[in-house]
């Protein structure tokens, strides 16, 4: 570790607490001003409330070359990275996948290779219709059911560790409603006065990052809904795939794929324009790799919708499912985990506001 991330975040939080210029910028400052001394848990909570909009940095009169050298977005980003690595289960994987784009690439390539091998060696029974001609339904379920529950279990353990570390207590229904409301609108990404944030451009307030995040989140939820509806149709109503275009799974999946892919590419473009020294530079490449993986999942899924009845289908299916498998395995140890931690931080904030 190049420096003590807690000591640096504590030093800057104390300066901000005395200054208070950025009071209305985001959820971090009201939480910060509620304390006079900052425990490691308090700082971890502040770090996970911050979404790196950079508004406070560009407004700050104490940035370098001032001797205070305040760079709160970076101090909190480095602490976030450290906290996700500390809480992750199994330990060690987050450190590898959060900081090394090469590890993300190898995991994705392994997913491709595994699925290609399965399609060629086991899947081509010709016994099913559509995708099931390349890979049987039973084989898909036996791979993806455990792959689906692994990240859920891992994240549940990580969030429990987070909740203990930040001193989280009892949660009421209205706390959950308040946190969900903020997630649904991504209100903090609009910054304090609603103009947007300065993530990719110091001089301009923009809603771009908020809209791109919303496209990814709602696209992901639509894709998830498509899979859920298809599962119900398969098991409850004996209606196995393939489905026509004007069916719930396809309409949900296509709209979700367009939103997910468009949002991921938009975020990738914004990241290339943003100043890297205002975030954790050690995590930049791996974060970008994960965003591009999301875009690839969406693009390969849409290609399957379009070319699913051609000779390219088995290859496209293996590439798409290999990417989805890599996504499931990587989700708790990469940028994807920030959604879960952010919700937990907003929940903690809501319980504290009430107290
Ligand atoms: S970021 Fe700078 S201007 Fe804002 S509260 Fe902290 S010290 Fe003050
Ligand atoms: S970077 Fe944005 S979200 Fe983070 S503390 Fe500063 S103003 Fe708040």
């Amino acid at each position: 570790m190049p420096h003590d991330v807690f000591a640096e975040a504590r030093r800057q939080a104390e300066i901000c607490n005395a200054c208070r210029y950025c009071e209305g910028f985001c959820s971090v400052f009201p939480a910060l001003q509620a304390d006079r001394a900052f425990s490691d848990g308090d700082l971890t909570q502040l770090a996970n409330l911050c979404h790196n909009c950079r508004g406070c940095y560009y407004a700050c009169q104490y940035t370098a070359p001032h001797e205070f050298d305040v760079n709160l977005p970076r101090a909190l980003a480095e602490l976030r990275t450290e906290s996700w690595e500390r809480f992750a289960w199994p330990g060690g994987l987050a450190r590898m996948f959060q900081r090394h784009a090469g590890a993300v690439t190898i995991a994705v390539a392994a997913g491709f290779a595994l699925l290609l091998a399965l399609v060629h060696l086991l899947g081509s029974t010709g016994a099913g219709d559509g995708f099931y001609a390349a890979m049987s339904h039973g084989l898909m379920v036996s791979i993806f059911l455990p792959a689906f529950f692994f990240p859920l279990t891992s994240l549940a353990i990580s969030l429990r560790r987070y909740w203990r570390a930040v001193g989280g207590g009892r949660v009421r229904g209205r706390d959950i409603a308040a946190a969900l409301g903020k997630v649904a609108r991504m209100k903090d990404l609009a910054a304090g006065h609603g103009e947007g944030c300065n993530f990719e451009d110091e001089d301009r307030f923009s809603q771009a990052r908020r809209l791109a995040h919303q496209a990814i989140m709602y696209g992901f939820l639509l894709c998830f809904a498509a899979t859920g509806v298809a599962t119900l149709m398969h098991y409850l109503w004996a209606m196995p795939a393939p489905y026509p275009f004007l069916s719930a799974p396809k309409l949900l999946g296509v709209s979700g794929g367009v939103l997910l892919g468009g949002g991921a590419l938009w975020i990738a473009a914004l990241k290339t324009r943003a100043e890297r020294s205002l975030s954790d530079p050690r995590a930049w490449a791996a974060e970008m790799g994960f965003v591009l993986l999301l875009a690839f999942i969406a693009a390969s899924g849409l290609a399957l919708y379009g070319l699913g009845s051609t000779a390219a289908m088995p290859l496209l299916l293996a590439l798409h499912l290999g990417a989805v498998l890599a996504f499931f395995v990587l989700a708790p140890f990469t940028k994807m985990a920030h959604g879960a931690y952010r919700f937990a931080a907003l929940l903690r904030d809501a319980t504290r506001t009430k107290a």
Side-chain angles (χ1 to χ4, degrees):
M1 196 181 296
H3 61 264
D4 185 339
V5 292
F6 282 105
E8 179 58 16
R10 185 171 290 112
R11 180 186 77 82
Q12 296 198 31
E14 285 169 358
I15 294 171
C16 290
N17 208 1
C19 168
R20 305 201 165 196
Y21 178 77
C22 298
E23 201 164 304
F25 276 37
C26 66
S27 299
V28 171
F29 289 94
L32 185 150
Q33 288 162 13
D35 291 310
R36 291 186 174 214
F38 301 97
S39 67
D40 287 357
D42 295 333
L43 293 167
T44 301
Q45 166 68 4
L46 294 178
N48 283 282
L49 276 178
C50 171
H51 52 80
N52 201 241
C53 77
R54 293 130 189 250
C56 61
Y57 178 86
Y58 291 125
C60 184
Q61 58 271 44
Y62 300 122
T63 56
H66 191 282
E67 61 180 319
F68 286 175
D69 191 15
V70 170
N71 183 344
L72 195 61
R74 177 169 179 158
L76 296 182
E78 291 183 337
L79 188 45
R80 267 196 307 282
T81 305
E82 192 279 342
S83 71
W84 298 345
E85 289 172 2
R86 190 158 34 102
F87 300 134
W89 180 89
L93 290 181
R95 176 169 287 270
M96 184 166 66
F97 289 123
Q98 282 200 138
R99 300 190 186 200
H100 303 290
V104 175
T105 308
I106 289 169
V108 175
F112 288 162
L114 176 66
L115 267 294
L116 278 170
L118 288 173
V119 163
H120 282 286
L121 298 178
L122 298 174
S124 303
T125 62
D129 293 330
F131 302 151
Y132 301 144
M135 177 177 274
S136 71
H137 181 262
L139 183 57
M140 278 194 205
V141 171
S142 63
I143 295 171
F144 284 95
L145 199 61
F148 176 71
F149 282 107
F150 167 70
L152 293 182
T153 307
S154 174
L155 279 172
I157 294 170
S158 303
L159 290 179
R160 186 177 164 81
R161 292 173 174 173
Y162 175 83
W163 198 250
R164 282 188 181 155
V166 302
R170 197 162 64 90
V171 176
R172 294 185 187 178
R174 65 185 182 188
D175 301 327
I176 297 172
L180 281 176
K182 283 195 171 182
V183 170
R185 288 175 287 135
M186 296 194 175
K187 182 169 168 283
D188 282 340
L189 279 164
H193 308 296
E195 307 110 311
C197 73
N198 310 88
F199 177 77
E200 73 279 10
D201 188 344
E202 169 182 356
D203 297 324
R204 190 169 62 90
F205 290 97
S206 162
Q207 300 285 351
R209 191 157 170 254
R210 180 191 196 192
L211 293 173
H213 266 86
Q214 285 180 320
I216 289 178
M217 183 178 78
Y218 288 111
F220 182 80
L221 291 175
L222 285 169
C223 291
F224 186 74
T227 307
V229 168
T231 304
L232 290 176
M233 289 170 72
H234 184 99
Y235 287 107
L236 292 188
W237 300 304
M239 295 171 66
Y243 302 110
F245 184 78
L246 290 178
S247 64
K250 285 224 166 168
L251 291 174
L252 289 167
V254 169
S255 53
V258 169
L259 280 175
L260 178 64
L265 290 176
W266 200 359
I267 286 282
L270 295 176
K271 277 178 80 65
T272 60
R273 298 198 336 238
E275 172 58 49
R276 294 187 198 182
S277 68
L278 303 188
S279 187
D280 185 346
R282 299 164 303 169
W284 190 92
E287 284 181 10
M288 181 62 96
F290 190 76
V291 171
L292 294 178
L293 173 61
L294 289 181
F296 182 83
I297 288 173
S300 56
L302 291 171
L304 263 180
Y305 279 120
L307 302 172
S309 55
T310 70
M313 186 274 282
L315 176 63
L316 284 173
L317 184 70
L319 291 176
H320 179 64
L321 293 183
V324 172
L325 183 62
F327 166 83
F328 280 136
V329 174
L330 292 176
F333 314 111
T334 50
K335 186 68 180 177
M336 191 67 191
H338 85 286
Y341 283 107
R342 177 128 186 93
F343 177 72
L346 289 171
L347 196 56
R348 168 71 181 123
D349 202 43
T351 62
R352 185 168 169 147
T353 305
K354 164 205 71 190

